[in-house]
Amino acid sequence: MKLLKNIGLAIFLLGLVIFTALPFLGSFKMSEQIMLEQLSEQELGNLQSDFEEKIIDVEFGTSSAFGNAVIDIYNTKNEELKANEEWDKVMYTQEKEFAFKLAKASTTGFVADNKLLLFFLSFGLGILGALIYVYQDLKLLGPAGIKNDGVYHSAAQNRGWIGIVTFLWLVSFYVLLYFNPHIIVNLTNVVDPVKHLFNPEAGASQWFLYGFLYTVTMIVMGIRMLIKYRHNKYQVVRTITVVLFQLIFAFLMVEILPLFDLPAKDLKNAWPLDHYFLFDWNVQQLLSSGHFGKFLFFWGIILSIIVVPVMVYFFGKRWYCSWVCGCGGLAETLGDPYRQLSNKKLWTWKLERWLINGVLVFAVIMTIYTGYHTYNVYNNPDMDGKDILFGLSAYDVRSWYGFLIGSIFAGVIGTGFYPILGNRSWCRFGCPLAAYMGIVQRFKSRFRITTNGGQCISCGNCSTYCEQGIDVRAYAQKGQNIVRSSCVGCGVCAAVCPRGVLKLENGPEEGRFGNEGPIVLGNDGFKIDV
């Protein structure tokens, strides 16, 4: 079995190496026809002569070299137009997105001719190797039950060299995905065959690549979760549910809805996590897409204002964070090997409260600005400065939010830092929806984790594997209910407890608070007031 596991690891690593090498393969050459097809009339007017002189029919060895040449021409021309105050000719498409579009259309050579082969050599080998690797745990780990032996001696799970390499790889991928997509255009080329299953005429964007990779990773690592926690029905049902929500709502429906001329929308995405909900282009797209689009718009409002708080009242924030949310789903599957790395010190708890509630305030302010702008777009279309409120532009506010929170915090740090900070950095410190639900959960909810202090043997497993950094043992030793706003109700603290001390409950509000004082000694309660 160990040999098979090592073979699975070798196959996975081979697929990963090929995946990582893809940006350096193939060639890129833009013909005049591609230029005429891809550029708008304005872009042609601005760039055609420079492109014909410097890029057309020139072969580049990598998408990075090609994209940088395009960006250089694009920015130079834009600066010239701005200097001449020819504002009607200035181009406002982001230069990196512009370069990605042209690099995608200009791919030639080995990668363009062997997309399906490279898909199987990268994704196929990676998936096959990972499945062989995790499946062997059924035999190697013995009878059902959590086996966490040696996690603090693992170079992969305790910030050793494997963890550092993984961290660097993840951060690099997210930086390229968000800020330099033209460099990873070959990664999108190899998933074109998958994209063609939904739309034979369309090529895969970087966001299709991300959605596909995200979903496949959750499925494979979800199987690992099912094997690891197969003795625990709560974990089995929860894992299957969160993976299905990702597969159906965040991936399949987003690809299928546009086939019927309907907006691609993740129905489970609630404000303020869905931070672009009131952006003018989003509102315009939804309201101009017939009855279904209007339904999506009002569903977004109802979901955020009514469904979310009501569900948190009855079930706590776990119904979303641990059963529905894609961010939480990735943290629970891909991030499970790193859950013990979450910091439990007091200063991180204080930092957590300031950061996550600060992001929520930022999200509210950003929404006010974008909502004001969108309102004026519809009701005061001739108004000058309709995006300006209190001297600030809605475009600037939403751009800063998208850069700092949507890209850096949620993506680069939120997932890239799994091997360093643990698997719930985004959920714990940055997610504004988690902050919103946490306020409801803390003060008005039926959810709590009850503890039987007399049974606690202070082994510390619950605190060690709490991904939200809660010192669960401290509550268990005192027999106190856990009603923390940050608890996502994953239930792993209860699953790893050898004495059944912890229990997730949705009981009446009465008795939820009030047992903070006494320390319980023994099953029947010696009680000492402190």
Side-chain angles (χ1 to χ4, degrees), residues 478 480 513-520 527-530:
K478 299 173 185 174
Q480 291 182 4
F513 297 101
N515 66 341
E516 290 85 356
I519 297 175
V520 178
K527 295 186 176 180
I528 302 174
D529 288 329
V530 294

Side-chain angles (χ1 to χ4, degrees), residues 281-302:
W281 58 264
N282 187 55
V283 174
Q284 192 169 19
Q285 182 191 41
L286 294 178
L287 296 184
S288 62
S289 299
H291 295 304
F292 187 74
K294 293 182 176 65
F295 162 75
L296 291 179
F297 180 71
F298 288 107
W299 165 248
I301 296 173
I302 293 169

Side-chain angles (χ1 to χ4, degrees), residues 313 443-446 448 507-513:
Y313 171 74
F443 298 106
K444 195 66 179 176
S445 174
R446 296 164 65 92
R448 85 290 306 269
E509 284 189 76
E510 292 75 20
R512 188 166 180 260
F513 297 101

Side-chain angles (χ1 to χ4, degrees), residues 116-410:
L116 194 57
L117 172 65
L118 289 170
F119 173 78
F120 281 111
L121 290 178
S122 54
F123 279 91
L125 289 181
I127 294 169
L128 176 65
L131 289 176
I132 292 174
Y133 182 85
V134 300
Y135 184 72
Q136 304 314 310
D137 284 344
L138 264 178
K139 297 294 183 183
L140 289 175
L141 295 183
I146 299 172
K147 310 294 192 301
N148 280 326
D149 300 345
V151 292
Y152 285 114
H153 300 282
S154 167
Q157 294 178 265
N158 192 30
R159 304 186 184 102
W161 70 270
I162 298 176
I164 298 297
V165 171
T166 307
F167 156 70
L168 293 174
W169 192 96
L170 287 171
V171 168
S172 300
F173 174 76
Y174 274 95
V175 168
L176 295 175
L177 178 74
Y178 281 112
F179 306 116
N180 294 283
H182 62 283
I183 296 178
I184 58 170
V185 71
N186 270 346
L187 302 182
T188 69
N189 286 326
V190 300
V191 293
D192 275 349
V194 182
K195 179 68 178 179
H196 292 165
L197 296 175
F198 300 98
N199 185 351
E201 305 299 325
S205 68
Q206 73 268 36
W207 302 120
F208 179 86
L209 164 72
Y210 186 48
F212 180 70
L213 184 61
Y214 199 106
T215 304
V216 166
T217 301
M218 277 186 60
I219 292 172
V220 172
M221 293 300 284
I223 293 172
R224 173 189 172 278
M225 286 285 289
L226 295 179
I227 293 172
K228 180 176 180 180
Y229 295 96
R230 62 188 184 279
H231 65 292
N232 188 304
K233 289 182 181 177
Y234 182 84
Q235 299 300 330
V236 170
V237 176
R238 184 176 71 87
T239 301
I240 293 174
T241 302
V242 76
V243 170
L244 286 178
F245 265 105
Q246 170 64 27
L247 175 64
I248 296 172
F249 287 92
F251 182 69
L252 290 179
M253 286 191 68
V254 169
E255 294 301 321
I256 292 173
L257 287 174
L259 302 181
F260 300 94
D261 292 327
L262 298 173
K265 190 73 176 173
D266 182 353
L267 284 169
K268 62 180 176 53
N269 216 5
W271 178 90
L273 186 60
D274 180 8
H275 67 271
Y276 52 80
F277 180 68
L278 285 184
F279 285 12
D280 54 326
W281 58 264
N282 187 55
V283 174
Q284 192 169 19
Q285 182 191 41
L286 294 178
L287 296 184
S288 62
S289 299
H291 295 304
F292 187 74
K294 293 182 176 65
F295 162 75
L296 291 179
F297 180 71
F298 288 107
W299 165 248
I301 296 173
I302 293 169
L303 176 64
S304 304
I305 297 178
I306 298 176
V307 176
V308 165
V310 169
M311 290 291 282
V312 174
Y313 171 74
F314 284 106
F315 305 107
K317 59 196 280 191
R318 62 171 166 162
W319 80 272
Y320 195 89
C321 297
S322 292
W323 290 73
V324 173
C325 179
C327 302
L330 191 71
E332 295 296 331
T333 51
L334 177 65
D336 181 70
Y338 310 110
R339 62 170 58 246
Q340 71 279 357
L341 299 179
S342 62
N343 195 316
K344 279 80 178 177
K345 293 182 179 177
L346 184 61
W347 68 266
T348 56
W349 178 45
K350 294 178 179 177
L351 177 67
E352 168 192 321
R353 290 188 298 172
W354 278 102
L355 272 181
I356 196 167
N357 291 309
V359 172
L360 176 60
V361 171
F362 191 4
V364 170
I365 293 172
M366 186 271 299
T367 302
I368 291 172
Y369 269 86
T370 54
Y372 174 79
H373 174 232
T374 301
Y375 175 83
N376 286 329
V377 167
Y378 277 92
N379 295 285
N380 303 301
D382 298 325
M383 175 184 178
D384 292 330
K386 49 182 170 289
D387 60 310
I388 304 297
L389 181 64
F390 301 123
L392 288 176
S393 166
Y395 290 113
D396 292 338
V397 175
R398 79 185 199 187
S399 294
W400 277 108
Y401 186 90
F403 173 73
L404 293 174
I405 308 301
S407 300
I408 298 293
F409 212 154

